[in-house]
Structure formats: structure tokens, C-alpha cells
Amino acid sequence: MANWTRLQLTAALVLGLVGAAAANDDRPETPLLDTARGAQAVPSQPQALVVLDVAAADTLAALDVPMAGLPSRLYVDYLNAEQAQATPVGTLFEPDFEAIALLGPDLIIAGGRSSAQVDALSEIAPTVDMTIWGADHVDIALSRLRSYGALMGRSAQAATLEAAFLAKLESTRAAVADRGRALIVMTNGPKVTTYGRESRFGWIHNALNLPEAVVEQPAAATAEAAEAAPHGEAISFEYIAEANPDWLIVVDRASAIGQDNQAAAATLDNPLVTGTEAWKKGQVIYLNSASIYIAGGGIQSMTATLEDILAGFARGG
Amino acid sequence: MAETAAPARVSGGSPAGRLGLCLLLLAGLAVLSCAIGVTQVSPLALFDDPRAAQLLLVSRIPRTLAVILTGATMAVAGVIMQLLVRNRFVEPGTTGTNEAAMLGLLGATLLAPAWPIFAKMLCAAVAALLGTLVFLALARRIPPQRPLLVPLVGLVYGGILAACASFVAFQADLLQYLAIWMSGEFSGVLSGRYELLWLAGVLAVLAYLVADQFTIAGLGEVASRSLGLRYRQVLGFGVVVVSLVSALVIVTVGVLPFVGLVVPNLVSRIMGDNLRESLPVVAATGAGLLLICDMLGRVLRAPYEIPAGTVFGLFGAALFLIMLLRRGAHG
């Protein structure tokens, strides 16, 4: 028994040395990755990846990077193929640590909903927090795309994707220019919240130069509070009537997670909302909620959101 | 109106006078509530601006009515609960009633998402009824000389039910859906979206009709039986009223903690426990206090909203602590 163990140790040592030597030959340094917690050293060209963030999975899938482990539910249908090939490793909020350990990943990519688990996951394998958050949403998302490209040796593909996205962004920006003010709302059952410039959906305003339809508020600025509230600011329908947006951009939280018992349109269909310019002109845009709400920041998700907006503005009067 | 022959108490004023005062204040608050909102509407605009009139009819008046109905019926439910359990510290929020209703609602949403809201509400009501009966069975085992143990047991019991609800909701990705019911607020109220609350109002009126029997039941099972009361029936009716009111309020606006706890205590300090006299005042006070909280929630961070339940929670907890401490000081 003791001999066997020693043999194993030696083998591991030899393999490790060979591995290290090989690494030294091909890739002399461990690359630094820009993460939500600053630059972090990561193994170069990791083979087995566990991805616990839908935005990251979205972008990695666009780069054709195989993923060994993914959450058991991703909520977005365009990742079904990746989902089918990967081992399920728990949920976004509660990863299945045993399943992840069994996979023996080289790198774990967490972020957003799984970012609270980064420290615990680091005990299994190197883990990076790739959360995309804040007003620089698009910039961060594109820098994530470049990082993944560089890390996986697919920089050229990343550059192509970025160029395509920027072109789409430019054409959408042109389409929304001088078409009026927009209000982004999320419906959650019978209740409504709004998302301003500083919120998680604020990039729609910022990146597209789309003016915000707001109700003037007292001097006590609530911008930081709006950013802090991940589900937006609670408003009444009277707020929507008063803001009177030309465009109403709607995210239905229930449909984002596959519930469909109180649709956004039913919630909004009341005299206060139907009196707005947006409703009268048929300028209400229902975004693909799973895309923007669950996978927000993924390159495919952002492109899909732009396409939704583009299509909405093309239909509108 | 309450009996006119009621003996005057230390704080002065007849019960009818107090009720009149309460109703007057409530009417004032209601008018104020109709005047507060994101849109500035001057009283004059009501006559020549159809949009202002529409705003009032579609949003402001329904919202004000919803708050009044909720506050009044939750306070009444609290007072009934307190008499039936013979404990000052219980209300649907400390007896597992709300949590049980939530479980029922969750179950209905999961198993039969297509059911109309009324059917789901009935599921919630049945669950609330079962939950309350279990609590009553638990409370019966607590020695009467340990009154604080009753709400503590109720809170633990409610916590267990809430944990079950959270577990189920987590599995089904309904946690934030659950959160809609957990925080009571009125931002979504419009005409056509709150009318179930009128049913709760009817139940409160029914409770008022048998107020004397609840008062006697508050003396305890033995005493009320010897006075010829059908104790079981009264108890049963009370539990049904409390469960239905809780379920109706949760389905329409969400859980509002403390209303049923604070208001009856407040009123009983002044008026005693004769429900025939005090119940209308309890209802009016509950409505008024909740209305104040809802208005604060609309004004403090305007044009955004703070849930009325949150405001009442702060305010109610403080008020309740003061009452507890003062009670201690008086022995």
C-alpha cells in the first residue's frame, strides 16, 4: 500500500513537472484576467471550465468555448445545446460543490447571481468573479468578451463578435435618435418598477443615447438608491402616466423565469398607461425578458436586446 | 352607532363621540390621500380636466379605499384573534395565519396557475384556516400565566411555515413572486384590481353584528359557556373571519404586519374591550393609521414609493414597544 502511494506521488510529481515544463514552453506566464475584483492570475488556456454565470456562458458559447459544467437551469433557450453537453452543477445561487469538485475544473467562472459564492468556490479551483454591473455595462461586457477571447486563445473570434456588436449598436443608435423619450419598466405580477440610467438596464439609455422619460424629483437625488435597488424603483401607474414616455420598454420578470400567469401586457393595460403616447402610438416594446434579465451582459443577449429595440422602433409610428 | 348609555370613562367623551371624531379624522385623511400622487392635481382641475377626473376615479380613490378597507379589516381581524386566544399579543402575523395563507397561495400558483384569482384566494383562505387551527391547538397547551409565550410560539410556528414557503418558492423560482405577497403595498391598486377587499369589509361588518358574542368569548371558554354562549361556534366563526380577511388582504395587497397588533391595543387602552363599542373605532383607527403610512410611503421618496407595510412596520414596532414598556411601568 505504502509503495503504491509513493508510486502515485512520484507519478504525480513527474507529470506535474512535465506539465509545468510544457506550460513554460508554450505559455511562459500565467495570464492576468480583468475581473470584478481586479486583475487576477488564472491558469492559461484552461481546459475544463465550470461556468456559473449566464452572461459568461452566453459569451463563451459565442466564442465556441466548450463548458464542462453549467447550472441546471439557464432560463435562456439559445444555450440549450451547451446545456445539454455540460454536467449540471446546481443553481445560479447555490452551486453544487460536490458536482463541481468531481469535474475537477481548471477554472470556475462565477458572476452576478453566483458572485457571493466566489470565495467558497475558490477552495475547489481558481475562481473568477466576472460580474457585469453599473453604468459602464457595455464597456465591461465587451472587455469581458476580449478577456475570454485572450484567455481561450480566440482573440480573433472575439474581435469579430465585438465588431458585429458595435455595428448593431451603431445602427440601433441611429434608429432611436430623435424618436422621443423612453421609460424602462419591469412588471412583477401586478406591480411595476422602473429602471433609470444608473440601473442594471440603464445601458439601454446610455449606450443608445436614448433620452429618459422621468418625473421631476425633489432635490434629494435618488440616483444612487436607484442603482442599489436591483429590482428597480417601485412606482405607481400614475408615474407612467405622468412621465408620459414616447416609448415604453417592458421587461416581464415573471416571463424571464418561465412563469406566465400574469403577463406584462395585462398588468399595463389600464387607463393610466393606455393614455400615454407610447401606448397610443403602439410604441410599447416587450423585450425578451430572459435575455436581458438573466443573461444581461452576454454578447448574444445584448445583441438580441438591441434587435428587440430595433424591431420595436421599426414598427412604431 | 354604539350604545349611548355607555358609562363615561376617564379619558372623557362618549363612545359615539369618539367614533365620530375618528370618522371625521379618517375622512380628512382620505381626502388628503386622494390629493397626493405623482401628478399634481388642483381641486379646480377636477371640474374642467377630464384627465384629472380619470386619475381620481381610476387610481386615487380606489387606492384610498383599498388602504381603508385593508387597515380596517386587519385591525378587526387582530382584535378578534386577541379575544379568541385571550392574549393581547397575537394577530394574524404572529399566529402563522399569514404564512399559512401564503403557502396556500403558493400551492395554488404552482399546481393550478390558470385558476382565477378568486379560486387562488380560496385556497389561501383554506390554508390560513388550517394554519390558524393548528396554532390554536398549540396555544391551548401554553399555561395562561405565561402570556408572552403565546406570540413567541406563534412566531416560531409562523417562521417554520414561512421557511416551508421559501423552500418551495426557491425550488420553483418563485422567491420574488413570494416577495410580492410578503411586502404589503398599494402601488399596484387600480379600479378593478382591489375589489376583493370589499369582501373583507363585508366580513368585518358581519363580525360587528356578533360583536357581543366575541366579547363574551373573550372571558374564556368556561365563563362564556356558563353565560350560555355557544363557544365553539363563536370560535369557529371568528377563525373563519380572520383567515378569510388575511387571505383576501394577502392576495390583493400583501402582508401588512403589526396593524392587527397595535391598533386593538391602542384602542382597548382607551375604550376597554366591549367590542360593540370599540370595534368601529378599531376599524377606523386601523384605516387611518395605514392611510398615514401609505401617504408617507408615497411622499418620502417621491416620485418613487416605499411599501406601506414597511412604513407601518417601523412605526408599529416602535408604538408596540412603547406600549409594552409602559405596561411594565404600570405593573
Side-chain angles (χ1 to χ4, degrees):
Chain A
M1 213 53 191
N3 283 344
W4 179 229
T5 314
R6 194 171 301 153
L7 194 66
Q8 268 189 320
L9 259 177
T10 320
L13 205 63
V14 169
L15 275 176
L17 283 173
V18 169
N24 276 339
D25 288 345
D26 298 349
R27 303 174 288 270
E29 65 226 27
T30 45
L32 283 176
L33 196 67
D34 249 346
T35 74
R37 303 180 178 189
Q40 190 177 331
V42 290
S44 61
Q45 299 228 356
Q47 293 307 303
L49 279 183
V50 167
V51 182
L52 293 167
D53 176 41
V54 185
D58 168 313
T59 301
L60 288 165
L63 290 167
D64 299 318
V65 173
M67 288 169 271
L70 280 172
S72 51
R73 274 194 78 182
L74 291 176
Y75 304 93
V76 290
D77 47 14
Y78 59 84
L79 293 176
N80 283 348
E82 285 76 10
Q83 177 99 72
Q85 280 162 18
T87 308
V89 289
T91 67
L92 288 169
F93 285 104
E94 299 208 338
D96 181 343
F97 289 88
E98 280 177 39
I100 296 173
L102 276 176
L103 281 175
D106 300 319
L107 181 66
I108 303 174
I109 298 178
R113 293 164 179 82
S114 61
S115 58
Q117 304 284 354
V118 167
D119 292 332
L121 289 164
S122 299
E123 313 236 327
I124 301 176
T127 306
V128 287
D129 179 356
M130 301 301 267
T131 303
I132 299 167
W133 190 257
D136 309 326
H137 193 275
V138 172
D139 291 341
I140 298 174
L142 290 177
S143 108
R144 296 277 183 268
L145 170 65
R146 285 191 292 271
S147 298
Y148 296 139
L151 180 69
M152 306 308 297
R154 291 166 201 246
S155 288
Q157 210 171 333
T160 315
L161 285 169
E162 181 171 353
F165 174 77
L166 288 176
K168 178 77 70 183
L169 188 66
E170 197 50 54
S171 58
T172 314
R173 201 180 280 161
V176 306
D178 304 320
R179 302 283 300 275
R181 304 167 313 142
L183 179 70
I184 306 175
V185 296
M186 176 187 269
T187 60
N188 194 12
K191 296 175 184 178
V192 186
T193 49
T194 184
Y195 288 80
R197 214 170 255 289
E198 307 293 325
S199 72
R200 71 203 289 181
F201 305 145
W203 66 274
I204 293 179
H205 288 300
N206 293 323
L208 296 175
N209 297 329
L210 183 61
E212 236 182 318
V214 286
V215 172
E216 287 304 317
Q217 45 195 322
T222 43
E224 73 275 29
E227 188 179 13
H231 290 94
E233 288 288 345
I235 50 168
S236 57
F237 294 105
E238 211 179 309
Y239 182 98
I240 303 179
E242 181 67 14
N244 192 18
D246 303 297
W247 299 88
L248 194 58
I249 299 178
V250 184
V251 182
D252 183 355
R253 190 187 175 282
S255 85
I257 54 167
Q259 299 290 321
D260 199 24
N261 43 16
Q262 207 155 9
T267 299
L268 292 173
D269 189 3
N270 65 68
L272 291 178
V273 178
T274 52
T276 59
E277 285 300 307
W279 196 282
K280 281 192 280 192
K281 292 184 187 160
Q283 301 188 144
V284 182
I285 302 172
Y286 296 94
L287 295 183
N288 179 330
S289 306
S291 244
I292 187 162
Y293 180 73
I294 306 278
I299 193 75
Q300 303 184 61
S301 136
M302 290 200 303
T303 309
T305 299
L306 289 182
E307 273 161 7
D308 282 346
I309 293 174
L310 210 50
F313 273 79
R315 265 198 317 274
Chain B
M1 282 294 150
E3 295 164 53
T4 43
R9 286 194 176 76
V10 218
S11 45
S14 70
R18 285 200 200 94
L19 179 59
L21 188 68
C22 280
L23 288 180
L24 205 67
L25 279 174
L26 184 58
L29 286 171
V31 171
L32 195 60
S33 161
C34 287
I36 291 178
V38 179
T39 314
Q40 303 292 326
V41 183
S42 77
L44 287 177
L46 289 179
F47 298 102
D48 49 9
D49 181 1
R51 256 195 81 215
Q54 186 203 42
L55 187 71
L56 214 59
L57 287 176
V58 170
S59 166
R60 302 257 176 102
I61 292 176
R63 181 173 186 154
T64 305
L65 286 173
V67 177
I68 290 176
L69 284 167
T70 307
T73 55
M74 285 307 287
V76 168
V79 100
I80 294 175
M81 205 70 203
Q82 287 171 16
L83 280 176
L84 295 184
V85 185
R86 302 187 68 203
N87 189 299
R88 286 257 169 248
F89 306 105
V90 296
E91 62 135 13
T94 60
T95 57
T97 309
N98 285 341
E99 287 80 2
M102 217 130 56
L103 259 178
L105 193 53
L106 194 63
T109 307
L110 278 175
L111 301 176
W115 277 8
I117 189 75
F118 190 75
K120 285 183 189 159
M121 188 283 298
L122 282 180
C123 289
V126 170
L129 193 65
L130 293 176
T132 313
L133 289 177
V134 170
F135 170 77
L136 288 179
L138 284 175
R140 195 167 292 248
R141 288 161 194 272
I142 297 168
Q145 57 273 29
R146 309 280 304 273
L148 276 174
L149 217 51
V150 174
L152 282 180
V153 167
L155 284 171
V156 172
Y157 169 61
I160 294 171
L161 292 180
C164 294
S166 293
F167 177 76
V168 174
F170 186 84
Q171 301 298 319
D173 281 311
L174 281 172
L175 262 190
Q176 276 155 357
Y177 222 72
L178 202 62
I180 300 179
W181 301 318
M182 301 262 260
S183 93
E185 54 136 351
F186 299 88
S187 70
V189 170
L190 287 174
S191 89
R193 296 190 186 174
Y194 80 102
E195 278 74 0
L196 271 181
L197 288 174
W198 284 107
L199 268 181
V202 170
L203 286 166
V205 172
L206 284 182
Y208 178 63
L209 294 179
V210 293
D212 293 333
Q213 305 197 20
F214 282 130
T215 309
I216 297 171
L219 299 173
E221 180 162 6
V222 178
S224 47
R225 273 190 199 284
S226 68
L227 286 169
L229 188 76
R230 292 184 190 168
Y231 183 76
R232 291 267 147 188
Q233 274 96 321
V234 175
L235 188 76
F237 177 68
V239 173
V240 167
V241 167
V242 169
S243 306
L244 269 171
V245 165
S246 303
L248 283 161
V249 167
I250 289 175
V251 167
T252 347
V253 293
V255 174
L256 288 149
F258 282 113
V259 181
L261 194 61
V262 170
V263 177
N265 276 295
L266 214 58
V267 174
S268 108
R269 291 189 145 243
I270 301 167
M271 297 190 62
D273 280 335
N274 182 355
L275 276 202
R276 170 103 15 223
E277 283 175 14
S278 67
L279 205 59
V281 178
V282 166
T285 310
L289 286 180
L290 194 58
L291 208 46
I292 292 174
C293 290
D294 182 53
M295 284 191 279
L296 281 177
R298 270 184 275 172
V299 168
L300 287 178
R301 290 199 59 224
Y304 307 123
E305 302 222 356
I306 305 173
T310 310
V311 181
F312 202 104
L314 276 175
F315 179 64
L319 213 61
F320 192 63
L321 274 179
I322 292 170
M323 286 192 307
L324 267 184
L325 293 176
R326 282 190 51 183
R327 178 184 217 115
H330 289 282

